[in-house]
Amino acid sequence: MRSILIAGNWKMNMGPKETADFFAQLDDSAQKNIEGVDAAVCPPFVSLSAAFSARKSGSAVKIGAQNVHFEDNGAYTGEISTSMLNELGCDFVILGHSERREYFGEDDAIINKKVKKALAAGVTPIVCVGEVLAERKENRHFDVVKEQTAGSLAGLSADELKKIVIAYEPVWAIGTGETASPEQAQEMHAFIRKELAAQFGEEAAATVRILYGGSMKPGNADELLKQPDVDGGLIGGASLKPSDFSQLVAIAAAQ
Ligand code: PEP
């Protein structure tokens, strides 16, 4: 009942020309409408227009941004508003990625404001949570993820929860080649869903998609996607290559 979402987070990679090349090389099979599967890429802001222009007409690949500001407009040098994302037609926005938490000082309160703003603008937030290695080693990963989830989603209604996507991204698995085992991913996803059920009710918790992120690639996607609470992937490195991205969509389609 929850469709699988394969979402590429391109981070600070792929300028407009590379973005156009990506779409030119992407398999038609990855762009067609597949029942039960959504595919999306999130290029840097400057490449969003190129992505919309290069995407073949009729392509089902959705396009998202990697961040947004929580104010409507004004003196916020370097920032981008939800109305700007709306003007382009962005479907998604990644919020609270661990790199934004670590390098740009974003905390749960800021992420919460952004989530609310994105929801009000009709852009689907992909809200990232996840523990660092030390927290897992100290067996604090459940507490950390619980706090991040509660803080990022504070004040949302059950109906709003249904409109968001959560990405569990253990920070020790991001860009490291190390992946959470399918069992580790399932354990945390089930925990997040249980916490959401306690806060927002069973129905909303059963509706929300929880993606796994952290070195997901064609070689490990199948076993991760087979887990009952893993509803897709937020994919960094492997999403930059059209052939890997196409394979990931095909693996999702085969579930
Ligand atoms: C990410 O940063 O969202 C991510 C999951 O990256 P990678 O797939 O490269 O680990």
Side-chain angles (χ1 to χ4, degrees), residues 36-92:
V37 179
D38 292 319
V41 292
C42 301
F45 288 131
V46 295
S47 299
L48 284 170
S49 286
F52 281 101
S53 309
R55 184 175 65 171
K56 287 186 188 135
S57 98
S59 167
V61 176
K62 297 185 162 73
I63 294 171
Q66 298 173 21
N67 186 22
V68 79
H69 194 56
F70 50 77
E71 295 291 350
D72 286 327
N73 50 43
Y76 300 101
T77 302
E79 293 294 329
I80 298 286
S81 69
T82 49
S83 61
M84 295 172 191
L85 300 187
N86 279 151
E87 199 174 326
L88 288 177
C90 288
D91 299 290
F92 292 101

Side-chain angles (χ1 to χ4, degrees), residues 20 26-27 32 34 55-56 58-59 64 77 103 119 144 165 168 176 180 208 222 241 255:
L26 194 58
D27 275 5
K32 66 176 195 219
I34 305 169
R55 184 175 65 171
K56 287 186 188 135
S59 167
T77 302
Y103 305 131
L119 280 169
V144 168
V165 175
Y168 168 57
T176 57
V208 70
D222 183 57
K241 295 185 208 126
Q255 298 302 309

Side-chain angles (χ1 to χ4, degrees), residues 70 101 106-116 151-152:
F70 50 77
R101 291 176 187 264
E106 291 196 15
D107 59 15
D108 293 331
I110 293 174
I111 296 158
N112 182 241
K113 284 192 198 179
K114 294 184 174 193
V115 170
K116 288 176 174 159
S152 306

Side-chain angles (χ1 to χ4, degrees), residues 7-9 11 94 97-99 128 167-171 173-178 212-217 233-239:
N9 173 13
K11 312 193 185 190
I94 299 170
H97 191 279
S98 60
E99 287 149 18
C128 305
Y168 168 57
E169 301 208 301
V171 181
I174 295 181
T176 57
E178 203 172 317
Y212 167 78
S215 300
M216 192 190 256
K217 47 187 180 279
L234 182 58
I235 298 133
S239 73

Side-chain angles (χ1 to χ4, degrees), residues 14-239:
M14 311 281 264
K17 186 180 174 311
E18 289 167 302
T19 298
D21 291 346
F22 176 92
F23 278 95
Q25 289 164 28
L26 194 58
D27 275 5
D28 285 346
S29 60
Q31 306 204 53
K32 66 176 195 219
N33 219 324
I34 305 169
E35 211 192 312
V37 179
D38 292 319
V41 292
C42 301
F45 288 131
V46 295
S47 299
L48 284 170
S49 286
F52 281 101
S53 309
R55 184 175 65 171
K56 287 186 188 135
S57 98
S59 167
V61 176
K62 297 185 162 73
I63 294 171
Q66 298 173 21
N67 186 22
V68 79
H69 194 56
F70 50 77
E71 295 291 350
D72 286 327
N73 50 43
Y76 300 101
T77 302
E79 293 294 329
I80 298 286
S81 69
T82 49
S83 61
M84 295 172 191
L85 300 187
N86 279 151
E87 199 174 326
L88 288 177
C90 288
D91 299 290
F92 292 101
V93 61
I94 299 170
L95 295 175
H97 191 279
S98 60
E99 287 149 18
R100 296 223 49 94
R101 291 176 187 264
E102 183 180 353
Y103 305 131
F104 303 99
E106 291 196 15
D107 59 15
D108 293 331
I110 293 174
I111 296 158
N112 182 241
K113 284 192 198 179
K114 294 184 174 193
V115 170
K116 288 176 174 159
K117 193 75 202 172
L119 280 169
V123 183
T124 301
I126 301 176
V127 184
C128 305
V129 296
E131 80 284 358
V132 300
L133 186 59
E135 290 161 343
R136 181 163 276 265
K137 282 190 170 155
E138 291 158 12
N139 210 24
R140 291 196 294 121
H141 43 299
F142 292 113
D143 289 344
V144 168
V145 169
K146 180 176 173 172
E147 194 183 319
Q148 288 177 341
T149 308
S152 306
L153 308 183
L156 262 55
S157 66
D159 278 344
E160 285 175 323
L161 183 80
K162 291 183 196 169
K163 293 187 189 135
I164 72 162
V165 175
I166 293 176
Y168 168 57
E169 301 208 301
V171 181
W172 47 271
I174 295 181
T176 57
E178 203 172 317
T179 318
S181 68
E183 295 74 25
Q184 285 173 321
Q186 170 56 27
E187 184 183 35
M188 184 59 89
H189 285 224
F191 172 78
I192 294 170
R193 207 178 296 285
K194 183 174 77 61
E195 289 300 320
L196 294 175
Q199 208 184 328
F200 298 95
E202 294 284 348
E203 195 216 337
T207 307
V208 70
R209 290 188 283 188
I210 307 178
L211 314 184
Y212 167 78
S215 300
M216 192 190 256
K217 47 187 180 279
N220 59 24
D222 183 57
E223 51 179 5
L224 286 160
L225 294 176
K226 284 213 156 36
Q227 303 307 309
D229 286 293
V230 176
D231 306 314
L234 182 58
I235 298 133
S239 73

